[in-house]
């Protein structure tokens, strides 16, 4: 491999893999021609497709493996039996310094378990979190955790706030991101003890790379009230799936309405340009790519059902994180944070993945 950004790809992860993965890699190289790839997968399925993309073939190295992590496989089983899988070898490449990031559209729980076991968590961070973009009235925000940790204590939530703030600064360009903790009300007395303790630590902390706004409610997510929304993985996953389902519901309602009569169809023709803008703004492929924050290595999870464009956006996120030295920036900001308590760096063989979030 030549010098520069190298992204390890799990060619066998995703509903339409490996064709979706390779086409996505080709699209990503059109945006970032200097990026190279280290691709892992079954030679009989990948090589014939790779040969069709001459430019891509010249910009990547391919490693054969017969083993693949199935979409329905339990994380614990994948961790024990998937040591030679395309997913595990791609993660190993980051650990060994052969690549700066790994991207996979495969089994979320297995990816989290393997990545945590191989890459470990950063010093001082107990649990990694799944973070991703949310479209808002003001642009975009980042929300975490989206499913890695069903139960979180106050220290976990403070960790999420810091990591989400760094992500917001580097990727969304917010100079001093605003941070909010998702709650059942904005009043200080609402919620439970872990939320109150996290809020108190964030209000009194020195070195926080952002400004703590306070508690926010569910409707604040779409309003863009804050740049970083912090919550536990159970609540975050429910919010994510609810938002996805609502977007599909609204899209279906609009489709039915415009087909309901001749004049409705005529109205669609008149509003076609506006509808194109709306579809583009809400296109889930634009926001594809969830980052596992807190690991000592960049791991990006693509939605398993995405297409090549969506996968290219996930690769683009990985490239941006690598170019901005994301891991180093989190470490630097974490060292500056004073919360008045210390914690140990937790590691376990199961990786802590409890919810399939993406």
């Amino acid at each position: 491999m030549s010098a520069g950004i190298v992204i390890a790809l799990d060619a066998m992860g995703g509903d339409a893999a490996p064709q979706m993965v390779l086409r996505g890699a080709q699209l990503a190289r059109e945006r970032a021609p200097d990026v190279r790839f280290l691709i892992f997968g079954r030679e009989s399925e990948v090589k014939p497709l790779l040969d069709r993309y001459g430019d891509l073939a010249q910009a990547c190295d391919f490693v054969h493996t017969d083993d693949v992590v199935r979409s329905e496989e339990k994380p614990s089983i994948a961790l024990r039996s998937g040591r030679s899988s395309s997913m595990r070898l791609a993660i190993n490449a980051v650990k060994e310094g052969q690549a700066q990031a790994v991207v996979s559209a495969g089994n979320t729980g297995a990816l989290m378990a393997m990545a945590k076991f191989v890459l470990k968590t950063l010093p001082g961070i107990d649990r990694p979190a799944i973070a991703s973009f949310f479209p808002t009235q003001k642009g975009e925000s980042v929300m975490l955790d989206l499913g890695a940790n069903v139960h979180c204590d106050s220290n976990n939530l403070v960790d999420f706030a810091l990591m989400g703030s760094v992500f917001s600064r580097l990727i969304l360009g917010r100079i001093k991101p605003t941070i909010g903790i998702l709650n059942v009300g904005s009043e200080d007395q609402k919620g439970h003890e872990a939320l109150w303790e996290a809020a108190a630590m964030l209000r009194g902390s020195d070195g926080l790379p952002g400004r703590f706004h306070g508690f926010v409610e569910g409707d604040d997510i779409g309003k863009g009230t804050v740049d970083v929304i912090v919550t536990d993985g159970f609540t975050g996953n429910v919010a994510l799936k609810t938002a996805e389902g609502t977007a599909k519901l609204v899209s279906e309602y609009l489709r039915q309405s415009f087909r309901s009569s001749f004049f409705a169809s005529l109205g669609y023709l008149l509003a076609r340009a506006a509808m194109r803008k709306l579809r583009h703004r809400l296109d889930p492929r634009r926001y594809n790519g969830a980052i596992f924050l807190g690991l000592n290595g960049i791991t990006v999870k693509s939605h398993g059902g995405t297409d090549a464009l969506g996968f290219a956006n996930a690769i683009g996120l990985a490239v941006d994180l690598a170019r901005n030295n994301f891991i180093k920036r989190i470490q630097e900001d974490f060292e500056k944070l004073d919360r008045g308590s210390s914690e140990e760096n937790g590691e376990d063989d199961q990786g802590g993945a409890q919810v399939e979030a993406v």
Side-chain angles (χ1 to χ4, degrees):
M1 284 288 188
S2 63
I5 301 297
V6 179
I7 306 296
L9 300 179
D10 170 17
M12 309 310 295
D15 297 346
Q19 184 169 347
M20 173 273 293
V21 173
L22 299 181
R23 176 57 179 155
Q26 184 187 48
L27 291 175
R29 282 204 82 246
E30 292 176 3
R31 305 171 186 173
D34 58 323
V35 173
R36 295 181 61 83
F37 299 103
L38 186 54
I39 300 177
F40 298 86
R42 290 174 177 158
E43 185 172 9
S44 61
E45 297 181 46
V46 176
K47 286 292 284 184
L49 295 171
L50 190 57
D51 291 340
R52 299 179 188 176
Y53 304 118
D55 293 342
L56 177 62
Q58 296 299 316
C60 71
D61 285 342
F62 174 74
V63 178
H64 166 72
T65 179
D66 282 320
D67 293 343
V68 174
V69 175
R70 301 186 308 275
S71 60
E72 70 279 5
E73 199 162 343
K74 291 184 178 179
S76 57
I77 295 175
L79 187 61
R80 290 194 299 268
S81 62
R83 294 182 178 89
S84 298
S85 65
S86 56
M87 180 183 289
R88 176 64 176 269
L89 295 180
I91 296 170
N92 289 349
V94 176
K95 173 68 174 180
E96 296 163 3
Q98 299 174 342
Q100 283 73 57
V102 56
V103 182
S104 174
N107 182 317
T108 306
L111 183 65
M112 174 62 88
M114 288 183 177
K116 186 178 180 184
F117 179 73
V118 173
L119 301 175
K120 312 301 182 186
T121 54
L122 290 167
I125 295 178
D126 180 42
R127 298 182 183 183
I130 300 176
S132 191
F133 304 106
F134 263 74
T136 74
Q137 295 178 20
K138 298 179 180 179
E140 294 174 337
S141 64
V142 58
M143 185 170 174
L144 70 166
D145 179 22
L146 296 180
N149 308 281
V150 171
H151 303 289
C152 296
D153 62 22
S154 56
N155 282 318
N156 299 143
L157 296 175
V158 173
D159 288 349
F160 298 167
L162 182 143
M163 295 188 294
S165 182
V166 176
F167 184 92
S168 180
R169 286 163 54 201
L170 294 182
I171 304 303
L172 300 182
R174 308 292 192 267
I175 297 175
K176 196 172 181 65
T178 52
I179 303 164
I181 297 178
L182 191 61
N183 201 348
V184 294
S186 59
E187 299 86 354
D188 289 342
Q189 68 272 20
K190 292 293 183 67
H192 52 76
E193 188 173 357
L195 300 181
W196 303 334
E197 291 178 353
M201 283 190 279
L202 290 171
R203 288 191 184 99
S205 66
D206 294 324
L208 183 68
R211 181 178 62 83
F212 182 57
H213 172 84
F215 293 137
V216 294
E217 300 180 71
D219 60 345
D220 288 308
I221 298 174
K223 290 178 182 177
T225 302
V226 294
D227 301 311
V228 181
I229 303 158
V230 176
T231 186
D232 62 80
F234 183 92
T235 306
N237 189 262
V238 171
L240 172 67
K241 297 299 175 59
T242 301
E244 290 177 346
T246 301
K248 292 178 182 178
L249 178 65
V250 171
S251 177
E252 180 59 28
Y253 278 173
L254 285 172
R255 186 179 296 107
Q256 292 176 7
S257 296
F258 282 125
R259 291 176 177 176
S260 62
S261 68
F262 169 77
F263 289 106
S265 299
L266 182 60
Y268 171 77
L269 293 176
L270 296 175
R272 187 163 48 185
M275 292 301 298
R276 277 198 300 266
K277 291 181 179 179
L278 177 63
R279 282 197 300 268
H280 175 73
R281 186 72 182 88
L282 298 178
D283 189 344
R285 298 175 301 178
R286 292 186 61 203
Y287 310 99
N288 185 49
I291 173 71
F292 291 173
L293 296 179
L295 296 177
N296 192 21
I298 298 170
T299 305
V300 174
K301 171 64 175 73
S302 167
H303 197 295
T306 194
D307 61 8
L309 178 59
F311 195 79
N313 286 331
I315 293 175
L317 173 60
V319 171
D320 288 343
L321 293 169
R323 282 181 172 160
N324 283 286
N325 295 313
F326 183 69
I327 302 300
K328 182 180 179 182
R329 296 291 292 274
I330 284 184
Q331 290 175 305
E332 292 174 347
D333 285 348
F334 199 86
E335 291 172 357
K336 298 175 185 176
L337 182 66
D338 178 17
R339 75 181 85 197
S341 64
S342 61
E343 59 231 330
E344 297 180 354
N345 178 21
E347 297 170 4
D348 58 74
D349 289 356
Q350 303 307 319
Q354 297 169 300
V355 178
E356 178 105 352
V358 182

